Amino acid sequence: MRIGIAGLGTVGSCVYAILSEKGDDIEKRSGRRCTVSKVITRTRSKYAKLGIPSDLIAEDFEDLIINSDIVVETIGGTEAARKLVRQSLELNRTVVTANKMLISEFGNDFSDSSPIKSLFFEAAVGGGIPIISLLEDYLIFHGIKRIRGILNGTTNFILSEMQKGMGYQEALRLAQERGYAEADPSSDVKGLDAAYKLSVLTGIKTGIFPGIATIETKGIEDIDKLDIEKAADEGRKIKLIGTIDFEKERASVRPQELERDDPLWSVDGVENAIEVETDLSGKFILRGEGAGAQPTATAIISDILRASRYAEKQSNSVVIMKFGGTSVDTPEKIRDVAKRVQRKVQSGVKPVLVVSAMGVETDTLYELAGEISSKPNGREMDMLLATGEQKSIALVAMAIQELGMKSISLSANQARIQTDSNFSNARIVSIDADLVSRHISNGYVPVVAGFQGSTYTGEITTLGRGGSDLTAVVLAKALGSQLCEIYKDVDGVYSADPRIVEDARPIKEISWEEMIELSKQGAQVLQSRASEFARKYDIKVLVKNAHTNARGTLIWRGSKVEQPIVRAVTSDQDIVKVVLQEVPDRPGIAARVLKTLTEQNVNIDMIIQSMRSGDFNTMAFTVQASDLAKLKQDILKSRSEAREITIERAIAKISIVGVNLTATPAIAATLFETLANEGINIDMISASNSRISVVIDSKKVRLAVNAIHSAFSLEEIE
Ligand code: ADP
Ligand code: ASP
Ligand code: MG
């Protein structure tokens, strides 16, 4: 289990210390290895003080969440903590928190629909007293009638000292000196702290956290020496008692006079005690240290162990790691990949690798085929292309074995990835993950060939360029894995192709929709079919650098944004413009043109009809350059009655991609103005809510992309 710790105050650093020092012991007793995988805290100087290795320091919450199975929240407060917990749950992580205020006031927001318990907060109530485990596990089938107790050590200490003769102020000062009370003690002495705990306990029983506004609360500030003495004369002690009466649906925190035979009578000093009354077995009493770093950390560790039983079932630990061609193009890089895999295995993850052909191998194979045949047979082409991945998986498996781990390479056929027989662009029809799962259970790191498929008759197919990405997300789905990591030679998805724009920046998170647009508009990064599949099945994708520890880009549902945001600018030079000169200006002609293109399986992108002269129009549309071969120009010419068809190749499509781009015309205006200022002519335009594209002269691509990137200040994104 990978544990991420947020907050390194007294509690957080104690959890860190226990997990680091007693890791072996915990493993021996529980059978579970729990390793700290990331930590984050606001005061950066803490890292050096606690001797935390730099690769454990998370860049931000997402970095922490993504690299952990269990997120431990000890930052306190409700602002940042709430965001962290919500996001962790959204990303299917298990959360352990000690934050009573958060659970009491916002616990209802976190009630997740997942059938697996994912939020644990033992430490929020009893510190070292395992009251929540008692209620949730041991007493789960009991009807809880009443809970009553001394829930706040600070006030109990003050009252105990007053019992011995001190005044309130003096006792409070002593509590502060001993570290039992904070500089601002109001939450304790006003009874709020105890009220939060009652709200949390109520939530455990009823499923709804009522919040402290519903709890009648009175603190100990008004109690003076006289009250204490008067009670003592009558043989009583004053204590701050929290009570929930589930039958009467009432909860309160207030000072009460206890009789000598009350089981809470003898609970003095910083001790806490809770009495639970149930229908089946009467009263239970738990008593012990209710606060302090050690007891609270102990409650957190016990939650981690409890949580790990659930988290394991969630197969969070299976992570797909896909390495693109650029990450495995030399033996050194392959060895590098093996080392990264080793670190992953050591952190408790069970990786399944998907690997592309080395470097430009696929291109080389295409060229090779081109030298033999101008129209290679589809089946033979896939037979040839699939060798690229067969070679790389064997080498990667060997490199992993060299490091002393068990690994096995699997072709698509062996990994049971079945496709239809549409050679060169096959569709995956089914995937039987049993065999891969068995290898994982037997301790192997499976290395699966990307890009390939196999038909039910055993024919070898391929999934289209960039198809290894698709293999990766499909495997993630089939194995029930929550995360698919795509490793590349860059730090993530950038605001522009870093080869074109020098100061392009990696984007931290992006939605599937935006990624699909980016891929379609020319950013290689992730195959668009893979993004579409990931969106459909809720697979989170993390694009990372194979050779550094940069945090990477998270592709997922995305955070909700309303204002227009331009995320990235892309260019696509693999397009051509087909112009139908002098088409008769008659209804029905355009429909005929499109029908012809559909028959020929040619996809068009932008389309315009213009320059009307006499009874004629000019019609133009753009197609992918690779589709041009499919276009039967003579048929199109006769059906459209065009005088002539010309093809323009020196064009490129530039697009800005983002959210709500057409909500205001200002964005398009900025785009056009920027191009005008650079003297770049716009040939065609198309717009949707998530992108605006223009066609320009291909010689101007670099100039245009750089100018647009800076016009939208994309180099400044965080
Ligand atoms: P892989 O071999 O991992 O599949 P690709 O060759 O498919 O890698 O794509 C990686 C390249 O994509 C990067 O080196 C980068 O130059 C280019 N690229 C284009 N647009 C972007 C973008 N917006 N963000 C990141 N990389 C981009
Ligand atoms: N090797 C294949 C290609 O170059 C598949 C991939 O890399 O994803 O397109
Ligand atoms: Mg690729």
Side-chain angles (χ1 to χ4, degrees), residues 268-510:
D268 285 332
V270 283
E271 252 195 322
N272 282 14
I274 306 181
E275 183 186 68
V276 181
E277 192 180 334
T278 86
D279 54 352
L280 297 180
S281 41
K283 288 179 182 170
F284 282 86
I285 247 216
L286 284 179
R287 177 174 172 166
E289 275 189 63
Q294 293 270 10
T296 309
T298 304
I300 288 178
I301 306 271
S302 111
D303 266 353
I304 290 176
L305 291 174
R306 224 150 61 95
S308 66
R309 278 177 233 149
Y310 295 94
E312 231 156 54
K313 284 192 213 116
Q314 237 176 339
S315 16
N316 257 346
S317 47
V318 173
V319 170
I320 308 294
M321 300 173 79
K322 180 256 167 178
F323 292 91
T326 46
S327 312
V328 291
D329 62 353
T330 61
E332 288 71 43
K333 287 196 189 166
I334 291 179
R335 275 195 285 270
D336 229 39
V337 164
K339 280 190 211 133
R340 189 170 272 273
V341 170
Q342 186 177 38
R343 286 199 296 277
K344 264 283 199 269
V345 171
Q346 282 164 351
S347 74
V349 166
K350 298 179 183 124
V352 174
L353 270 59
V354 172
V355 179
S356 300
M358 293 169 73
V360 291
E361 175 90 3
T362 310
D363 293 325
T364 312
L365 292 170
Y366 263 108
E367 282 159 24
L368 203 55
E371 285 182 31
I372 303 288
S373 162
S374 62
K375 263 205 165 140
N377 171 279
R379 180 185 181 279
E380 303 313 327
M381 196 65 205
D382 279 3
M383 184 71 94
L384 177 71
L385 292 179
T387 62
E389 271 72 13
Q390 183 161 338
K391 193 164 134 187
S392 58
I393 52 170
L395 292 169
V396 170
M398 283 178 208
I400 297 174
Q401 290 161 3
E402 278 298 303
L403 296 179
M405 290 176 284
K406 295 202 277 187
S407 179
I408 182 163
S409 63
L410 298 168
S411 68
N413 182 35
Q414 291 169 326
R416 317 255 160 88
I417 300 171
Q418 212 187 89
T419 69
D420 61 16
S421 56
N422 186 11
F423 294 110
S424 88
N425 200 21
R427 216 169 49 86
I428 295 181
V429 287
S430 78
I431 178 160
D432 172 3
D434 277 0
L435 182 90
V436 177
S437 295
R438 232 174 304 139
H439 285 306
I440 302 172
S441 326
N442 291 334
Y444 283 84
V445 176
V447 183
V448 179
F451 183 51
Q452 305 181 349
S454 165
T455 68
Y456 76 101
T457 55
E459 295 291 343
I460 294 175
T461 56
T462 63
L463 308 175
R465 293 311 300 265
S468 303
D469 297 336
L470 183 62
T471 310
V473 290
V474 171
L475 255 184
K477 160 83 170 65
L479 290 167
S481 142
Q482 301 293 336
L483 188 65
C484 179
E485 298 183 342
I486 306 274
Y487 287 91
K488 313 197 72 84
D489 61 340
V490 286
D491 282 353
V493 180
Y494 279 64
S495 52
D497 187 337
R499 288 171 299 196
I500 298 182
V501 179
E502 216 173 273
D503 51 7
R505 303 273 311 138
I507 301 168
K508 283 191 172 173
E509 55 151 351
I510 187 168

Side-chain angles (χ1 to χ4, degrees), residues 105-126:
E105 303 307 299
F106 301 105
N108 299 331
D109 300 357
F110 305 137
S111 51
D112 55 323
S113 48
S114 118
I116 294 163
K117 182 170 165 57
S118 45
L119 184 58
F120 293 79
F121 39 84
E122 183 70 78
V125 179

Side-chain angles (χ1 to χ4, degrees), residues 8 41-52 57:
L8 288 173
T41 192
R42 212 170 319 162
T43 339
R44 296 193 63 89
S45 57
K46 282 263 173 67
Y47 296 131
K49 219 153 91 201
L50 295 170
I52 289 173
I57 299 172

Side-chain angles (χ1 to χ4, degrees), residues 193-230:
D193 180 81
Y196 286 128
K197 291 171 179 171
L198 289 188
S199 163
V200 174
L201 288 173
T202 306
I204 297 274
K205 161 95 182 0
T206 63
I208 291 168
F209 301 94
I212 57 168
T214 66
I215 297 174
E216 178 200 327
T217 308
K218 189 167 178 342
I220 61 163
E221 288 164 300
D222 299 338
I223 299 176
D224 59 24
K225 239 166 138 174
L226 249 84
D227 299 320
I228 302 270
E229 280 164 12
K230 202 170 136 250

